[in-house]
Amino acid sequence: MTRKVLYALLVFVLAFQVMQAGTPDLKFNEDGTFKIAQFTDMHICVGKSEYRDRELLKTFGRLSRIANQEKPDLLVFTGDIVTDGDGVKGWDRLLDSLNRFQIPFCIMFGNHDPETRIPRKDMSARIVASPYSLNTLNKSGELADMELEVLSSNGKNASALLYCMDSHDYSKIKSVKGYGWFTPEQVSWLRDCCDRRTEANNGVPMNSLAFFHICLPEYSQAWDNPKKNSVGRAAEDECPGALNTGMFAAMVETGSVMGVFVGHDHDNDYVVAEKGIALGYGRFSGDDTTYNNLRPGSRLIVLEEGQRAFRSWILEDDGRVVDRMRFQDGQIKR
């Protein structure tokens, strides 16, 4: 039996196993908090050089420290996770670590993840096979856009929502150069989800956050506003999708999403308030396997049960906390 056949068989078995198992529930803690650790742009590269393998030890050490010390209720990976070298070994190593943490997680692909030449379907099957993965597959066999419920502390009903979506990689239109964008169908899906939840919640929009890889075009507009309400820094130009299909407008109009967190632009880690929504970056979470000028770390986000508010900060390797903030009433407060 060839290696390719063995690999395909393994992927099938993993996907079948996850169908037989339930996924863990997300729930506010007794103190009314729910903590999320966002990792982004780890650029895992296994086996390409001794130097990169040494850098990878730092990346996994960071992931382990934050998972074990902060004890988040959810790990979110906003793209460009395994991007070079032996992709199979890279994903296996990451997923083995995540299984050891026993913390629920959700993964979104970035524009570089497909570049290890592993088909998206195969990467997706490996991810959903973990008993701690909240990801599911769409009709194409790839990672689906997700609406995740965070239950109330008494476990009786949904108290907040998390939208984890695929912002794609590159334009598929020959005459349009640049990064990918949300399809109109995805925008409609988000609208429908938010409207349905609002109707079920007696007309009150349910508090939610959104996570994906490539920033929205409105990021640069908000950051360039001289009167902006913000925290953090931008050390490079934003690189949004090449087309604007109205995802931000859908978020504003439906009134549910209070914060958006992305990756992609390694030297940006700001959060800026725009039309009542916090548009934010995570902190670059990798090491010297790609470009980077900020100290690597992770963004921590704490939801507050029953409040249209959240707290956030960046945790760096030496334990330093930077840019501590609270978002409430559509504004960033230090």
Side-chain angles (χ1 to χ4, degrees), residues 211-229:
F211 295 91
F212 41 89
H213 182 65
I214 298 174
C215 73
L216 299 167
E218 286 79 5
Y219 270 65
S220 55
Q221 169 188 319
W223 182 255
D224 291 342
N225 183 350
K227 298 181 180 180
K228 61 181 175 287
N229 171 226

Side-chain angles (χ1 to χ4, degrees), residues 285-309:
S285 305
D287 286 279
D288 194 19
T289 60
T290 181
Y291 83 92
N292 58 93
N293 292 293
L294 296 176
R295 287 186 296 269
S298 173
R299 177 172 291 282
L300 281 297
I301 304 165
V302 178
L303 292 170
E304 302 173 0
E305 186 174 11
Q307 301 293 316
R308 189 169 178 78

Side-chain angles (χ1 to χ4, degrees), residues 169-190:
D169 43 33
Y170 301 97
S171 171
K172 301 298 189 290
I173 302 174
K174 290 184 177 180
S175 60
V176 178
K177 305 300 181 182
Y179 292 107
W181 53 85
F182 288 110
T183 67
E185 291 77 15
Q186 288 177 291
V187 177
S188 295
W189 173 82
L190 181 79

Side-chain angles (χ1 to χ4, degrees), residues 194-195 198 205-208 249-258 308:
C194 293
D195 288 343
T198 297
M206 188 167 288
N207 301 327
S208 66
M251 292 175 177
V252 174
E253 290 170 358
T254 54
S256 176
V257 176
M258 58 181 174
R308 189 169 178 78

Side-chain angles (χ1 to χ4, degrees), residues 118-136:
I118 301 175
R120 273 179 169 247
K121 290 183 179 180
D122 292 352
M123 289 190 292
S124 301
R126 301 182 84 84
I127 291 166
V128 302
S130 167
Y132 300 98
S133 173
L134 299 177
N135 291 97
T136 61

Side-chain angles (χ1 to χ4, degrees), residues 279-334:
L279 297 179
Y281 284 93
R283 171 63 75 89
F284 173 76
S285 305
D287 286 279
D288 194 19
T289 60
T290 181
Y291 83 92
N292 58 93
N293 292 293
L294 296 176
R295 287 186 296 269
S298 173
R299 177 172 291 282
L300 281 297
I301 304 165
V302 178
L303 292 170
E304 302 173 0
E305 186 174 11
Q307 301 293 316
R308 189 169 178 78
F310 62 86
R311 290 179 283 123
S312 184
W313 62 93
I314 290 170
L315 181 61
E316 297 181 343
D317 273 356
D318 59 2
R320 187 180 331 189
V321 173
V322 298
D323 298 339
R324 192 181 291 274
M325 56 157 281
R326 189 169 191 268
F327 187 76
Q328 185 177 22
D329 301 325
Q331 293 293 307
I332 295 168
K333 303 178 181 181
R334 300 298 295 265

